[in-house]
């Protein structure tokens, strides 16, 4: 897929298109950024979790620390009692592209709060390099999908240029027995592989377009097949897990599948590094030229994203923090 020779694209294009239409989940390997996927490289990104609580609080979203300015980007702490049990940080494109991707007054395009360089020497540069590497992989995947849809391969390029893409670093700690005994939602328990397991990531579909996920060697991620069965998504070294979001499913008239997924706990700490490839906030999502112009009502991606993400536990209660685009 990354070969300069177009004659090499046919086989990976067919494989990606088939996965996108059928399961909506796949693992890819043989990437030009393979070094970024090695365990040592992941550990350097995940070093941020070693910050103490006071240093993390300086990165909290305003929802969790009213004294902070950032609303969308930043740290989200554990919130006990919910189906999803995770902490982490959301980092925007400014880490790689600077102020040109930030816009005052729009939380979706605010600067990302980051730890000072002296606390984690070299960390920002490593995060920026990883962000840019994931942009290149995601762009290649979109080129492949465009070809499979019968569109020019660069059809979507402008929409994603300097977009809202988010790099998220996540830690899923084990749930302890005391927390589980106080959980009031019975959905925290599921049957998997003939055993009773608890959730640490509630079932959901992603909001946007393409997700590239580096796993840490600990299992737990599951995807739901069209026949409603849950299957494990293996944490294979040197691979990225790819899945697709709701907007790309709608944009492609259902030709690309947004697949529900969840995370099971195992009593072992688990880390995940998803990269959400997203368009700019001001991009209008309208039917493709290969479809009827009346297929759906066009909408701006930023408006859709804000409404969607404020339904998630780590963003809940922030609905009024962004003004919807006037149409």
């Amino acid at each position: 897929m990354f070969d300069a020779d177009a004659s090499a694209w046919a086989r990976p294009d067919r494989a990606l298109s088939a996965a996108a239409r059928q399961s909506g989940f796949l693992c890819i390997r043989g990437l030009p950024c393979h070094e970024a996927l090695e365990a040592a490289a992941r550990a350097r990104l995940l070093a941020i979790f070693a910050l103490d609580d006071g240093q993390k609080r300086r990165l909290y979203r305003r929802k969790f620390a009213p004294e902070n300015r950032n609303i969308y980007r930043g740290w989200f702490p554990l919130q006990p009692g919910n189906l999803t049990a995770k902490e982490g940080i959301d980092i925007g494109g400014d880490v790689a592209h600077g102020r040109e991707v930030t816009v005052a007054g729009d939380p979706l395009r605010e600067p990302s709060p980051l730890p000072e360089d002296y606390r984690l020497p070299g960390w920002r540069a490593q995060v920026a390099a990883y962000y840019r590497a994931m942009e290149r992989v995601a762009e290649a995947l979109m080129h492949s999908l465009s070809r499979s849809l019968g569109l020019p391969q660069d059809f979507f390029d402008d929409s994603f240029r300097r977009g809202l893409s988010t790099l998220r670093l996540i830690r899923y700690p084990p749930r302890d027995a005391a927390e589980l005994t106080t959980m009031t939602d019975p959905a925290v328990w599921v049957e998997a592989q003939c055993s009773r397991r608890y959730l640490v990531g509630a079932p959901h579909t992603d909001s946007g377009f393409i997700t590239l996920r580096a796993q840490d060697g600990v299992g737990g991620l599951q995807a739901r097949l069209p026949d409603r069965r849950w299957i494990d998504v293996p944490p294979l070294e040197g691979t990225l897990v790819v899945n697709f979001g709701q907007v790309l499913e709608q944009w492609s008239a259902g030709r690309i599948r947004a697949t529900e997924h969840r995370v099971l706990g195992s009593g072992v700490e688990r880390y995940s590094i998803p990269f959400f490839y997203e368009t700019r906030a001001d991009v209008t999502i309208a039917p493709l030229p290969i479809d009827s112009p009346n297929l759906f009502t066009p909408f701006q991606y930023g408006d859709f994203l804000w409404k969607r993400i404020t339904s998630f536990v780590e963003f809940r209660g922030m609905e009024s923090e962004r003004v919807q685009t006037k149409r």
Side-chain angles (χ1 to χ4, degrees):
M1 190 175 293
F2 294 88
D3 200 306
D5 182 359
S7 65
W9 298 340
R11 184 180 177 187
D13 282 359
R14 286 195 300 270
L16 177 61
S17 178
R21 291 172 182 266
Q22 296 167 14
S23 68
F25 252 79
L26 62 148
C27 293
I28 59 174
R29 66 168 77 247
L31 300 167
C33 62
H34 64 91
E35 293 178 353
L37 304 179
E38 295 176 354
R42 293 197 306 270
R44 288 192 289 270
L45 298 184
L46 297 170
I48 192 171
F49 289 98
L51 294 175
D52 64 37
D53 290 343
Q55 293 162 358
K56 290 177 183 176
R57 185 176 176 87
R58 297 181 63 174
L59 309 176
Y60 276 17
R61 296 190 187 120
R62 186 190 299 171
K63 172 181 176 176
F64 307 108
E67 69 274 17
N68 292 350
R69 298 179 61 182
N70 50 295
I71 297 169
Y72 179 57
R73 303 297 184 188
W75 196 275
F76 51 94
L78 283 168
Q79 298 177 75
N82 290 288
L83 290 184
T84 295
K86 65 184 180 183
E87 68 168 337
I89 186 169
D90 285 333
I91 302 167
D94 56 309
V95 73
H97 304 297
R99 294 183 178 180
E100 64 179 284
V101 297
T102 63
V103 175
D106 186 350
L108 291 175
R109 292 176 278 188
E110 68 187 8
S112 305
L114 301 172
E116 297 90 341
D117 285 331
Y118 72 86
R119 297 191 186 278
L120 293 172
W123 182 83
R124 287 193 186 198
Q126 292 157 357
V127 168
Y130 187 87
Y131 188 103
R132 287 190 289 266
M134 294 302 103
E135 285 186 310
R136 291 191 290 272
V137 172
E139 182 181 65
L141 294 176
M142 285 303 302
H143 284 175
S144 175
L145 292 170
S146 298
R147 294 191 294 264
S148 296
L149 290 169
L151 297 168
Q153 75 164 18
D154 62 353
F155 179 85
F156 296 102
D157 282 7
D158 183 65
S159 296
F160 287 95
R161 190 167 291 114
R162 301 298 187 259
L164 296 177
S165 300
T166 295
L167 175 61
R168 176 175 288 184
L169 308 176
I170 307 174
R171 183 179 79 95
Y172 297 93
R175 291 188 188 269
D176 59 37
E179 180 192 5
L180 288 169
T181 57
T182 62
M183 290 287 295
T184 59
D185 191 338
V188 71
W189 294 103
V190 300
E191 293 293 325
Q193 289 87 42
C194 301
S195 64
R196 192 169 183 246
R197 302 277 296 276
Y198 61 79
L199 290 173
V200 292
H204 67 283
T205 55
D206 289 345
S207 304
F209 304 88
I210 289 181
T211 303
L212 306 175
R213 181 180 287 99
Q215 301 194 81
D216 71 340
V218 177
L221 178 63
Q222 291 192 318
R224 197 165 204 174
L225 295 179
D227 64 8
R228 310 301 291 168
R229 287 184 300 120
W230 289 99
I231 62 166
D232 292 328
V233 181
L236 303 175
E237 283 296 327
T239 68
L240 286 172
V241 176
V242 181
N243 64 279
F244 309 98
Q246 289 183 348
V247 175
L248 189 56
E249 180 177 79
Q250 183 172 4
W251 213 358
S252 67
R255 300 178 182 91
I256 297 170
R257 181 182 178 82
T259 299
E260 190 177 24
H261 49 286
R262 67 186 184 184
V263 182
L264 305 182
S266 62
V268 177
E269 187 175 56
R270 180 180 184 273
Y271 292 90
S272 180
I273 307 175
F275 177 81
F276 303 97
Y277 191 51
E278 300 176 280
T279 67
R280 294 187 310 280
D282 61 359
V283 166
T284 297
I285 308 299
L288 297 175
I290 57 176
D291 293 314
S292 166
N294 300 317
L295 186 63
F296 62 85
T297 302
F299 57 91
Q300 286 210 343
Y301 179 61
D303 293 341
F304 167 87
L305 177 62
W306 190 253
K307 182 177 181 180
R308 166 76 169 150
I309 59 120
T310 51
S311 68
F312 289 107
V313 61
E314 64 266 33
F315 292 100
R316 204 169 296 150
M318 297 165 54
E319 294 83 354
S320 63
E321 297 283 2
R322 184 178 191 267
V323 178
Q324 185 169 336
T325 305
K326 294 181 180 180
R327 300 297 299 274

